[in-house]
Each structure stands twice: as structure tokens, then as C-alpha cells.
């Protein structure tokens, strides 16, 4: 089998590439096409653990679900996780190879490209179709040299490209026409269609603009996609400001999460953002920590730096006051490490080698190790013995008396995390803690919510993928690019 590849690129960042790729994956899978997702290079702090024990971007894990597949490291062979203003941890085919500054990574790109092409070739041998997603815009002039994320990849594998733009940003015709103008002749030739995303209103009022765009560019407009209200897809790397308005107005339990500069896997909190009885507050720089029933310290790609930043905001004293008055506190992954007495980074994995004081609310210490732990877990939460499932992604090894009261016990007999003696603090390395309905209910009850409603987050994710595919079925015309897609088996 040798797959046909089609690539989704955006005129801007956040144009809707991930959503279009996800919906197209589900649409093709429904039609009987054996399809797989692919993103050559992803820069994101939201990631997932794959079936082969590696790490990829969260959006490709969701796209794998849309295809009916388990996520695999070949679906996102290069993942960059920002760890400083101009540096990132570089993950190649699921494994961290170290941290690089921007200039050093630019020199490394030819090696990364070999990994990209090897992963693509393996997928192409197994599937009929690969839906590839670009990163940012193909018209970033300063990034064209050595590009592996957009047209550099498309040219290397000789695949067609769909270009999408977001009308919500304004200037959608300029975005599409301008992007095409900045491409080389061969790159323009491989763009087989344009898509206008997130349109509100009467499509008839846009038709004259669509007609002009097709005449001016010589490219067919494959669809004007409507704005989907209440659509939820796990974000690639952007922090949502909070829950939908309906959830905020009816909230009965207030949950506050500090928006740390290097917060990772904040998709952990999506089930809380969407819960109708939760008032979810993302607390940003310069804001006071609001009165809350539950505060959650999220994961972090740079724990000591984020902890120092949290203290600069004055939030350490605010959290201390929260605990003094009986509030609940959860630390997840990096948040767990912050709750201990000490953090040690002897190899400088997150910056300058050294140690720092933690918040000291749990009797444990953490040492950062060079080998990252990547594993899926299933077990029971100490709260109500509720079933829990998720994944671990961390480089820290924690030790101390606090771990004698674990937060979770796993099916293989292992334990994880800690609970404070007064039962106000729970800490765990498990990401995805709130995805499992039983675990989410147990945590909300522990935090003080009376008679919490069950929210089946996995079912909600599946329903939103179907919602996307239904919309594409109605508004995306694949006729002009039928030659780019395989026939259903």
C-alpha cells in the first residue's frame, strides 16, 4: 500500500488547520478509507503518550481517534516543547533528545527532516490516505530556509495542499491571496483548493468575494465553513480563558488554575471547563487569585522558573490563605513537584543546574532525571476508590514520607502521588485525571460540590469529532480534489 497524502496548511496560525484535519480524518474514515493523521513538526506543550510508548502532540492524538486509531509516534515525528524564551526540548519520533536553542535547532533541521520522511514512509506503507497538518503559515519568509513543517515537507513528498484561512480574524481574502503570492511557483501549483473557516451569517453575502477570490487566484474555494458554536477540540497549545458562558453562569464550585508561563498539558482541565456545575477560572499574570473551592497547580515544562513566577505574582501567600480557610489544592505533575520541600535539577535539564525550595506543603523532594517517563496508567483514586486512567509524562523522580499516603493505586500494584494528612492536598503525576467520569465525580465531591453531575468527557470528545465531520459533509466540496484522495475500499 502506498498512501495518498493531502496536507492542510493555514494562512495564519490558528486558522483551523487542526480542526479541518480532524474532521477530514473522520469523514474519510466514515467513507471506508484507511486514513492516518500526520504532522511533520509540532510546537506544543500539550502532548499525549502513544501506543508505542512515545510522546506526540495532543492534536495528533485526537486526529488518530478521528481515524479510529491508537496514536503512534510516527504521526508526529518532531515535537518541540518550549522550555525558555528561545529554547525548547526536542522530541524525535517520541523520544526527547535534549534541549536546543532556536539557532541550534535550525542547524539540526536536516537531521529532523530525515526522521520526518522516515515516519511518513512507514505510514504511507500502511494506509490509503495520510491527512497531514502544517504548522503556522507557509509564507513565513524567515522560516522558509530548511522548512520541514509546511511546503518543505509538501515538496519533499510531492503532495497537494489545501490552504485554510479564518474569516473571524478579518482580511480573509488578503490572507489567502497574500499567502499564495508569497509562495514559489512550484509551491503555488500544489495548492489545490482554498477553505474559508468560521463564517457567521448568510453565505450569500460572501459569494461575490468567493467569486473574486477564485478568479484572482485560479484556485477553487472548496468550502465556506460555518462557525460551530459549542465545539470543543483539545487545544494544541493555546490556553482557554475559561468555560463556556452557560457553565460560568451556573457554576456551583469554583476552580482556579494559575496560567503558568510554561504550563503543560492544560488539556487536563477541559472536563472541568465544560462541566455545568464548575466555575472555571484561569488566573493570569497581574490578577489576584480569586476565592475558590479548589486550586490546581498544573504541569510545567520549567518547574523552578514557573514556581518563581508564581511567587512573583503573590500567589504563594494567596494559596496558603486558601488552605488556611479549608480550601482544597491539587498538584498535577510539575504541580506535584512544586508542592514538595525541594526541587533539584543537577544536570540543568530545565536551565541552570541547581536546587530550589518548593512550597513545602508535602514532605517530599524531586530530582530531575535525564530519562523521561512516558506511560499510560489505569487504577483507583484514593478518593472513593474511583476508577481513574491517564498518562504520565515527566522527568522528575519524587521521594519522601508524603508518598506513603498515595493518591492512586494502579492495576499493576504500583502507587502514585500523595495526600496530605489533613486531606486538603492531593498530588499526582497522572495527566488526564478528570477524563474518567468516576474520578472526576470523586474529585468534585472531595472539593465540596454536593451531588455533582457526571460528565462523560471521552464521549463528549467523540461527539465533537462527529460534529466536525457532519459539518464538513454539508459544507466542504471534495469534488474538485477527488483525484487527490483514494477511493474507499
Amino acid at each position: 500500500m502506498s498512501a495518498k497524502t493531502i496536507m492542510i496548511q493555514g494562512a495564519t496560525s490558528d486558522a483551523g488547520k487542526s480542526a479541518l484535519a480532524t474532521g477530514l480524518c473522520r469523514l474519510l474514515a466514515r467513507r471506508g478509507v484507511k486514513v492516518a493523521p500526520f504532522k511533520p513538526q509540532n510546537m506544543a506543550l500539550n502532548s499525549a503518550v502513544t501506543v508505542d510508548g512515545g510522546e506526540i502532540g495532543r492534536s495528533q492524538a485526537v486526529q488518530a481517534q478521528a481515524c479510529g486509531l491508537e496514536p503512534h509516534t510516527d504521526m508526529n515525528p518532531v515535537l518541540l516543547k518550549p522550555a525558555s524564551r528561545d529554547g525548547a526540548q526536542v522530541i524525535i519520533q517520541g523520544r526527547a533528545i535534549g534541549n536546543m536553542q532556536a539557532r541550534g535547532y535550525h542547524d539540526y533541521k536536516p537531521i529532523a527532516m530525515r526522521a520526518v520522511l522516515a515516519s511518513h514512509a512507514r505510514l504511507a506503507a500502511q494506509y490509503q490516505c495520510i491527512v497531514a497538518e502544517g504548522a503556522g503559515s507557509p509564507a513565513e519568509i524567515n522560516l522558509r530556509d530548511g522548512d520541514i513543517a509546511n511546503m518543505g515537507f509538501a515538496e519533499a513528498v510531492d503532495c497537494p495542499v489545501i490552504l485554510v484561512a479564518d474569516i473571524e480574524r478579518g482580511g480573509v481574502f488578503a490572507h489567502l491571496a497574500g499567502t499564495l503570492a508569497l509562495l514559489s511557483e512550484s509551491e503555488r501549483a500544489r495548492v489545490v483548493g482554498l477553505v474559508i473557516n468560521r463564517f457567521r451569517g448568510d453565505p450569500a453575502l460572501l459569494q461575490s468575494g468567493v467569486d473574486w477570490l477564485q478568479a484572482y487566484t485560479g484556485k477553487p474555494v472548496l468550502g465556506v465553513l460555518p462557525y460551530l458554536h459549542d465545539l470543543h477540540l483539545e487545544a494544541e497549545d493555546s490556553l482557554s480563558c475559561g468555560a463556556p458562558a452557560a457553565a460560568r453562569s451556573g457554576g456551583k464550585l469554583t476552580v482556579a488554575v494559575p496560567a503558568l508561563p510554561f504550563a503543560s498539558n492544560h488539556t487536563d482541565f477541559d472536563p472541568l471547563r465544560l462541566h455545568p456545575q464548575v466555575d472555571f477560572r484561569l488566573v493570569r499574570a497581574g490578577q489576584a487569585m480569586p476565592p475558590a473551592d479548589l486550586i490546581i497547580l498544573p504541569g510545567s515544562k520549567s518547574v523552578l522558573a514557573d514556581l518563581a513566577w508564581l511567587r512573583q505574582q503573590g500567589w504563594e501567600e494567596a494559596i496558603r490563605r486558601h488552605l488556611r480557610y479549608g480550601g482544597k489544592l491539587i498538584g498535577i505533575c510539575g504541580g506535584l513537584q512544586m508542592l514538595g520541600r525541594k526541587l533539584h535539577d543537577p544536570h540543568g535539564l530545565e536551565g541552570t543546574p541547581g536546587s530550589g525550595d518548593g512550597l513545602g506543603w508535602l514532605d517530599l523532594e524531586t530530582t530531575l532525571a535525564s530519562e523521561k517517563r512516558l506511560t499510560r496508567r489505569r487504577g483507583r483514586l484514593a478518593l472513593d476508590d474511583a476508577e481513574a486512567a491517564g498518562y504520565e509524562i515527566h522527568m522528575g523522580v519524587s521521594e519522601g514520607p508524603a508518598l506513603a499516603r498515595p493518591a492512586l493505586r494502579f492495576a499493576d500494584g504500583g502507587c502514585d502521588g500523595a495526600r496530605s494528612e489533613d486531606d486538603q492536598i492531593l498530588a499526582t503525576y497522572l495527566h488526564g485525571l478528570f477524563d474518567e467520569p468516576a474520578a472526576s465525580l470523586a474529585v468534585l465531591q472531595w472539593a465540596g460540590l454536593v451531588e455533582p453531575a457526571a460528565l462523560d468527557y471521552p464521549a463528549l470528545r467523540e461527539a465533537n469529532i462527529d460534529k466536525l465531520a457532519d459539518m464538513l459533509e454539508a459544507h466542504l466540496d471534495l469534488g474538485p480534489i477527488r483525484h487527490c484522495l483514494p477511493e474507499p475500499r
Side-chain angles (χ1 to χ4, degrees):
M1 188 179 295
S2 183
K4 288 190 173 183
T5 299
I6 188 161
M7 192 172 198
I8 312 297
Q9 296 185 11
T12 63
S13 294
D14 197 33
K17 297 184 297 292
S18 293
L20 180 55
T22 303
L24 188 57
C25 282
R26 175 56 58 88
L27 186 62
L28 293 172
R30 282 179 179 177
R31 296 181 178 183
V33 174
K34 191 176 181 185
V35 58
F38 187 74
K39 183 156 186 169
Q41 175 184 286
N42 198 346
M43 179 173 280
L45 284 170
N46 288 336
S47 57
V49 176
T50 63
V51 68
D52 55 326
E55 183 180 6
I56 64 172
R58 192 81 204 161
S59 56
Q60 278 61 65
V62 174
Q63 289 161 9
Q65 180 178 343
C67 297
L69 302 173
E70 288 281 5
H72 190 280
T73 51
D74 280 337
M75 295 172 182
N76 177 207
V78 179
L79 175 62
L80 308 177
K81 301 186 81 170
S84 65
R85 288 186 177 182
D86 63 348
Q89 183 182 63
V90 179
I91 297 165
I92 302 295
Q93 291 172 335
R95 302 293 172 187
I97 64 166
N99 286 10
M100 294 186 191
Q101 300 301 108
R103 191 174 296 276
Y105 177 69
H106 181 78
D107 295 336
Y108 180 81
K109 275 185 178 181
I111 299 173
M113 184 58 148
R114 290 202 288 272
V116 166
L117 296 179
S119 287
H120 177 264
R122 282 192 290 269
L123 291 178
Q126 300 174 63
Y127 296 94
Q128 288 179 279
C129 184
I130 295 173
V131 176
E133 179 189 339
S137 163
E140 302 290 351
I141 303 302
N142 58 310
L143 300 177
R144 295 285 294 280
D145 182 28
D147 169 57
I148 69 174
N150 290 299
M151 284 298 180
F153 167 77
E155 296 259 85
V157 301
D158 191 23
C159 74
V161 171
I162 296 173
L163 185 64
V164 58
D166 177 12
I167 198 169
E168 281 264 289
R169 292 171 176 267
V172 70
F173 302 114
H175 283 154
L176 289 167
T179 298
L180 288 168
L182 292 174
L183 299 179
S184 70
E185 186 176 344
S186 64
E187 291 169 346
R188 273 195 304 275
R190 68 180 58 258
V191 176
V192 294
L194 311 176
V195 171
I196 295 174
N197 192 29
R198 299 189 184 120
F199 179 71
R200 303 174 192 246
D202 183 355
L205 298 177
L206 194 66
Q207 191 58 49
S208 60
V210 170
D211 294 340
W212 174 89
L213 185 64
Q214 293 184 129
Y216 183 81
T217 64
K219 306 292 183 183
V221 174
L222 304 177
V224 176
L225 306 182
Y227 184 95
L228 286 183
H229 296 275
D230 300 325
L231 176 72
H232 171 75
L233 277 185
E234 292 170 16
E236 187 169 69
D237 202 38
S238 59
L239 277 165
S240 171
C241 293
R248 288 199 300 271
S249 64
K252 297 179 181 178
L253 186 93
T254 301
V255 178
V257 176
L260 305 176
F262 297 101
S264 64
N265 291 79
H266 54 74
T267 49
D268 285 343
F269 309 119
D270 287 353
L272 300 179
R273 287 189 183 101
L274 298 168
H275 198 287
Q277 294 169 288
V278 171
D279 180 3
F280 185 87
R281 310 284 185 89
L282 191 65
V283 190
R284 298 187 181 273
Q287 296 179 340
M289 185 67 65
D293 302 288
L294 171 64
I295 294 175
I296 307 177
L297 300 181
S300 167
K301 192 67 197 70
S302 191
V303 180
L304 282 168
D306 274 347
L307 180 54
W309 184 87
L310 182 147
R311 285 173 164 142
Q312 290 169 7
Q313 302 300 313
W315 291 344
E316 180 178 12
E317 183 53 42
I319 298 171
R320 193 186 307 278
R321 185 167 57 250
H322 167 82
L323 290 171
R324 190 183 308 132
Y325 287 97
K328 302 291 189 177
L329 177 64
I330 293 177
I332 298 177
C333 198
L336 174 152
Q337 296 170 0
M338 292 180 188
L339 290 171
R341 290 184 286 106
K342 288 280 187 179
L343 292 102
H344 308 288
D345 186 5
H347 308 295
L349 298 172
E350 293 187 352
T352 305
S355 298
D357 291 330
L359 295 167
W361 295 325
L362 290 176
D363 191 5
L364 60 85
E365 296 189 8
T366 298
T367 301
L368 297 187
S370 56
E371 187 166 344
K372 183 181 287 192
R373 183 172 179 81
L374 297 164
T375 185
R376 299 179 182 185
R377 307 303 296 259
R378 181 169 288 277
R380 296 280 174 178
L381 191 61
L383 308 176
D384 294 337
D385 196 35
E387 184 176 0
Y391 56 97
E392 292 183 49
I393 300 178
H394 60 93
M395 303 180 80
V397 177
S398 298
E399 299 177 314
L403 302 178
R405 299 186 78 246
L408 293 114
R409 295 188 184 277
F410 295 124
D412 61 6
C415 297
D416 169 75
R419 292 177 297 139
S420 63
E421 294 286 348
D422 61 9
D423 199 38
Q424 283 185 256
I425 302 174
L426 183 143
T428 177
Y429 273 114
L430 193 73
H431 292 288
L433 177 65
F434 307 108
D435 288 14
E436 201 72 32
S440 182
L441 280 175
V443 171
L444 292 175
Q445 286 178 320
W446 171 75
L449 184 58
V450 178
E451 297 183 356
L455 177 71
D456 190 340
Y457 183 69
L460 183 63
R461 183 195 292 128
E462 186 70 14
N464 276 280
I465 293 173
D466 276 333
K467 186 176 182 178
L468 260 179
D470 292 343
M471 181 269 286
L472 294 185
E473 192 83 65
H475 296 279
L476 187 67
D477 181 11
L478 296 179
I481 61 167
R482 187 171 286 114
H483 62 285
C484 302
L485 301 171
E487 291 295 324
R489 288 197 149 200

